[in-house]
Amino acid sequence: MTTTSKTPLLDRIKIPADLRAHDDDDLPQITDELRQELIEAVSITGGHLGAGLGVVELTVALHYVFNTPDDRIIWDVGHQAYPHKILTGRRDRIRTLRQGGGLSGFTKRAESDYDPFGTAHSSTSISAGLGMAVGRDLQDKKNNVIAVIGDGAMSAGMAYEAMNNAGSMDSRLIVILNDNDMSIAPPVGAMSAYLARLISGGTYRGFRHFAKHIAEMFPKSLEEKARRAEEYARGMATGGTLFEELGFYYVGPIDGHNLDHLLPVLRNVRDADEGPILIHVVTQKGKGYAPAEESADKYHGVSKFDVITGTQSKPPANAPSYTSVFAKSLMAHAEKDDKIVAVTAAMPDGTGLGQFAKTFPDRTFDVGIAEQHAVTFAAGMATEGLKPYAAIYSTFLQRAYDQVVHDVAIQKLPVRFAIDRAGLVGADGPTHAGSFDITYLTCLPDFVVMAAADEAELMHMVATSVEIDDRPSAFRYPRGEGIGIELPEIGTPLEIGKGRIMREGTTVALVSLGCRLQETMKAADELAAQGISTTVVDARFAKPLDEDLFARVAREHEVLVTVEEGSVGGFGAHVLEFLSNNGLMDRGLKVRTLTLPDTFQDHDKPDAMYVAAGLTAPSIAGTALTALGHEKALISLAAERANALPGKS
C-alpha cells in the first residue's frame, strides 16, 4: 500500500537551490505545504509558532529570489526562523526543535551556513547586516545582505542607530520591515503593489537620480522645493518619509502574503546597485492557522498542541508561578502605597505586569522593546519620589547595563529591579538563560541584591524592596512554579544583609543563594546519611553579605560550600573574597564554590541542565565529600547521580 505525501513539492526541496529550480507557479503550493509542515512540527515540540506562520510567504520568496547562503539573510530575534530552517537542510531535524541535543529555537551560526548571524535578542539585525555589507565591500564581493526586522524590534534604539549609520554610509543593504502588528489596511492593495513595483524598479530609480542631478543645477531655493515635492509625493503614496530621512530608499507597504507582490519587488531590489533600501512588508502573525489567528497572542509561544483543535497540552500547576506571586505581591503593596509604579519592556504578561496593569493602568508603563530606556525612565521617576519597579528578564536586563550603572547605581537612585527568568530556562537555551545578573549587579557599590529561595521568600523580598529608599535594589526569581509552600497575605520586610540558618550542624556548611535551597537541603540529608553533620544557610542576600553569619560558620566548620544558579564571579566569589581577606581560611577551612558552568549551556529540559551543571543534591553532597576526602562515600553518591541522569529510570 502506498501513502501519498501531504507535501510532495516540499519533499523535493532539501536546500534553497532546490526551491529555485521550481517555477513561480509552484510557489503557492510550496508555501501551503511549508505552513502545514511548520504547524505539525511545532505541535510536537512547542515553540514560537505565530511569528513563523506570518513569514512563510516571505521566507519562500527570499530564498527563491536571492542566492543563499552566499546572499545573507538575518532574521532579527529569530522567532520567525522555523520556516527558514525547514528550507535550509534541517527539515529532517525540525521535530527536534528546542529539545535536548536538537535544533535551536533561534538562528545559530554553528548550526548552518544559512544562519549568518546568531539571534534571540531583538533589534540586532540591521547592525549585523551593515557589518556584513562593509565586510563584503572591503573584499570586493557582490553578494546581497538582507536584514528582516519586525515592527516591535524596530522600536529599539539600536535599530535606529544602525539605520542612521547605514544611511550615512550609502551602503548596499536591504532591510525588510516585517510589520505584523497592523492590519492590512487599504494602502496594501493593488495600487500599493503597483507603486511598490514602480518605485523599486530601475526606470523610476533612474529617473529619480536624473531628476536629482537636474535639480542640483537649479538655484538653491528651487532645488529644495523640487526635492521636497518629490519626497512629499512619495510620502503621500507610500508613507516612507521617516525612512527616507534616515537615508533609506523606501518601498512599500506591500502585502507580505501575496507572492505576486513580493517577487517582483524583491527582484527589483536584488538587482539595484545602490542602497540602502527598506521594504515595508505587512504580514499577519499566525497566518493560515485558525486557532492562532483567533488567539489574542497569535500563538506567539506555545506548548505542544493538538493540530485539529489548537488545544495546548499544559499540565496543571502544582503551585503558583514565581511570576504570578511577584505580581500579586506588588499589587498588594501598591494598594497601600500610591507611589509604587511598574515598568516593563514589551513583556507585560511574561513579567506579570499585565495583571498589575488591569488594576493600576495609570501606574503601569510598557515602553516596548527598549530596556535601556526602561531603566533610565525608572530612574527619572525615582528622582521624583516614586517607587519604580523595573520588571525585566535577567537576560534582557543585560542590554541596559550601562543605564543600571550610570543612571541608577552611581546616583544611588532607589529603582527596584524585579529580575524574572533567573537561572536556567530550558528550551530557550543560552540566549535566554539568567546566568549573569548576580555577577554584574553585586560588583556595583551600594546595590542590594536578593535571591528568593521559594515563593514566600519572594514575597518578603518584594516587601523589603518597598522599604529601600536610599539605594537601588534587585531581587531575582526563576521561571516556572514555586515549591508549593503556604503563602502569607503580604510579605514582611527582611533585615538587610541577613541570612537565615535552615539547619545546624558541625562539620560541613552548605550556603545557598536562591532556588537551589531545596537541592541543598537534600544534599544535607545525603551527608547526614553518611554520618556527616551539616549546616544549611539560606543567604538571602548576595549583597550586602551577612558577614557575621559567614564568619561564624567559617570558624565552626571544616568545609564551606556555596551554591548559586549563576555564573562564576558571583555570590561564591564574594564569599571567598570575604573569607580570604579576613583570614578565615588560614586555619584550614576548605571552601568550594558551586556555580553554573563557565560555558554557554545548550538548551534542554531544566532538570537535565541542572544535573549537567552539577547543581543537584548528589553533586552538592559530592563536592563536600571530596573536600573532606571521603572517597568511598563519594563513589556511592556518584552512582546515585548517574542514576539521576536523563533517560535513567
Side-chain angles (χ1 to χ4, degrees):
M1 182 180 174
T2 58
T3 303
T4 304
S5 173
K6 297 179 183 176
T7 55
L9 294 186
L10 188 63
D11 294 346
R12 291 158 48 188
I13 299 170
K14 305 302 180 187
I15 57 174
D18 301 328
L19 172 67
R20 293 190 282 270
H22 285 267
D23 295 330
D24 289 13
D25 293 343
D26 290 338
L27 298 188
Q29 182 178 337
I30 292 171
T31 61
D32 289 343
E33 293 178 11
L34 179 57
R35 181 169 274 111
Q36 183 178 340
E37 176 72 358
L38 172 63
I39 293 167
E40 290 185 0
V42 180
S43 76
I44 295 169
T45 65
H48 294 98
L49 180 61
L53 289 171
V55 296
V56 167
E57 289 82 7
L58 179 62
T59 305
V60 169
L62 286 171
H63 282 294
Y64 189 69
V65 171
F66 292 95
N67 185 34
T68 55
D70 290 340
D71 289 337
R72 318 292 198 221
I73 301 177
I74 310 157
W75 298 96
D76 203 286
V77 185
H79 288 156
Q80 75 279 54
Y82 300 175
H84 160 82
K85 293 192 178 216
I86 294 170
L87 291 177
T88 53
R90 288 168 276 185
R91 185 186 180 189
D92 61 339
R93 292 181 288 157
I94 198 65
R95 286 162 177 77
T96 71
L97 193 68
R98 305 171 83 246
Q99 313 301 301
L103 294 176
S104 168
F106 307 96
T107 55
K108 188 175 182 180
R109 282 174 52 81
E111 197 174 279
S112 172
D113 290 340
Y114 292 91
D115 293 359
F117 198 74
T119 58
H121 290 195
S122 85
S123 318
T124 62
S125 60
I126 305 175
S127 297
L130 182 58
M132 293 177 192
V134 169
R136 172 200 64 205
D137 296 342
L138 291 177
Q139 299 173 77
D140 294 322
K141 297 179 180 178
K142 299 298 181 184
N143 59 293
N144 294 284
V145 179
I146 306 101
V148 185
I149 183 169
D151 56 304
M154 193 66 94
S155 70
M158 183 176 177
Y160 288 96
E161 292 174 23
M163 291 182 70
N164 188 54
N165 191 189
S168 68
M169 293 173 64
D170 202 31
S171 182
R172 193 167 60 85
L173 171 70
I174 301 166
V175 174
I176 296 178
L177 171 58
N178 176 29
D179 185 348
N180 58 21
D181 206 29
M182 67 178 267
S183 59
I184 299 179
V188 188
M191 180 57 73
S192 177
Y194 169 75
L195 288 169
R197 286 197 299 272
L198 178 66
I199 65 180
S200 65
T203 302
Y204 184 89
R205 285 185 285 104
F207 176 77
R208 272 195 94 213
H209 285 293
F210 174 74
K212 181 181 178 183
H213 178 68
I214 294 297
E216 287 171 350
M217 299 179 184
F218 293 163
K220 267 296 180 191
S221 58
L222 292 179
E223 178 195 344
E224 180 64 15
K225 287 180 181 178
R227 184 188 68 79
R228 288 187 175 181
E230 196 272 347
E231 182 183 89
Y232 180 75
R234 292 190 68 245
M236 286 293 287
T238 64
T241 54
L242 169 64
F243 301 109
E244 293 276 356
E245 288 296 327
L246 288 168
F248 275 71
Y249 188 89
Y250 175 91
V251 179
I254 59 174
D255 186 345
H257 301 297
N258 191 325
L259 290 166
D260 292 334
H261 295 180
L262 282 172
L263 293 176
V265 171
L266 290 177
R267 284 168 175 147
N268 282 339
V269 168
R270 176 196 63 194
D271 298 335
D273 54 6
E274 77 275 340
I277 298 174
L278 184 138
I279 308 172
H280 183 178
V281 173
V282 179
T283 62
Q284 179 186 352
K285 280 184 180 177
K287 176 72 173 179
Y289 184 51
E293 291 180 0
E294 294 163 6
S295 171
D297 68 352
K298 306 301 179 184
Y299 278 34
H300 171 71
V302 294
S303 55
K304 299 176 183 180
F305 63 92
D306 180 87
V307 172
I308 304 299
T309 65
T311 303
Q312 298 183 50
S313 58
K314 294 181 178 178
N318 297 312
S321 70
Y322 282 95
T323 302
S324 67
V325 170
F326 157 68
K328 290 177 182 176
S329 186
L330 188 63
M331 288 170 65
H333 288 282
E335 291 281 3
K336 301 179 178 182
D337 190 338
D338 62 5
K339 290 184 177 180
I340 290 175
V341 293
V343 182
T344 176
M347 300 297 289
D349 294 328
T351 59
L353 293 188
Q355 188 178 355
F356 186 92
K358 292 177 182 176
T359 306
F360 306 103
D362 296 337
R363 291 154 62 183
T364 310
F365 305 92
D366 184 349
V367 300
I369 302 175
E371 290 85 1
Q372 294 172 301
H373 164 60
V375 171
T376 304
F377 174 53
M381 289 193 286
T383 67
E384 296 298 316
L386 298 178
K387 297 182 176 182
Y389 281 78
I392 302 174
Y393 292 2
S394 171
T395 185
F396 297 151
L397 187 59
Q398 294 163 191
R399 315 190 85 190
Y401 189 56
D402 177 63
Q403 286 69 30
V404 172
V405 177
H406 180 269
D407 299 340
V408 176
I410 289 177
Q411 304 184 70
K412 295 186 71 172
L413 291 171
V415 176
R416 291 87 170 160
F417 294 94
I419 304 176
D420 206 325
R421 274 52 170 185
L424 300 175
V425 295
D428 284 335
T431 57
H432 283 60
S435 304
F436 307 112
D437 56 89
I438 299 172
T439 301
Y440 68 65
L441 291 178
T442 53
C443 67
L444 300 176
D446 295 316
F447 215 115
V448 178
V449 182
M450 301 171 271
D454 55 52
E455 55 268 48
E457 282 290 292
L458 175 57
M459 293 183 69
H460 299 322
M461 290 175 184
V462 173
T464 306
S465 67
V466 172
E467 301 299 316
I468 300 175
D469 273 326
D470 59 345
R471 51 189 153 164
S473 59
F475 48 92
R476 74 191 309 256
Y477 46 98
R479 181 181 191 176
E481 54 189 58
I483 65 173
I485 65 172
E486 187 175 349
L487 298 177
E489 287 295 317
I490 196 167
T492 303
L494 305 172
E495 186 177 355
I496 303 295
K498 294 297 179 182
R500 56 175 179 161
I501 293 180
M502 308 300 294
R503 180 180 301 185
E504 285 274 15
T506 56
T507 305
V508 171
L510 303 178
V511 181
S512 173
L513 177 76
C515 284
R516 290 289 94 190
L517 179 62
Q518 303 307 310
E519 287 297 311
T520 304
M521 296 290 286
K522 292 177 185 175
D525 291 337
E526 294 182 4
L527 291 170
Q530 304 288 339
I532 299 168
S533 180
T534 303
T535 294
V536 177
V537 175
D538 177 13
R540 283 178 162 164
F541 293 84
K543 191 169 191 174
L545 293 176
D546 191 341
E547 295 183 352
D548 292 340
L549 176 58
F550 292 159
R552 179 170 75 81
V553 167
R555 288 192 294 266
E556 295 176 357
H557 296 78
E558 296 178 40
V559 171
L560 190 153
V561 180
T562 65
V563 183
E564 63 192 296
E565 46 190 354
S567 70
V568 297
F571 170 68
H574 284 273
V575 172
L576 191 59
E577 184 177 34
F578 165 72
L579 296 173
S580 175
N581 289 346
N582 288 276
L584 294 165
M585 300 167 59
D586 296 354
R587 297 185 180 182
L589 175 69
K590 299 172 181 177
V591 182
R592 303 290 186 270
T593 58
L594 294 181
T595 66
L596 292 175
D598 192 22
T599 186
F600 294 106
Q601 280 184 268
D602 280 336
H603 63 272
D604 205 338
K605 293 180 179 177
D607 288 348
M609 295 181 74
Y610 280 116
V611 169
L615 291 179
T616 55
S619 293
I620 298 167
T623 299
L625 289 169
T626 302
L628 289 168
H630 289 218
E631 299 297 335
K632 289 183 179 179
L634 183 61
I635 292 170
S636 172
L637 277 174
E640 187 177 333
R641 184 188 178 198
N643 288 328
L645 288 169
K648 300 287 186 178
S649 58

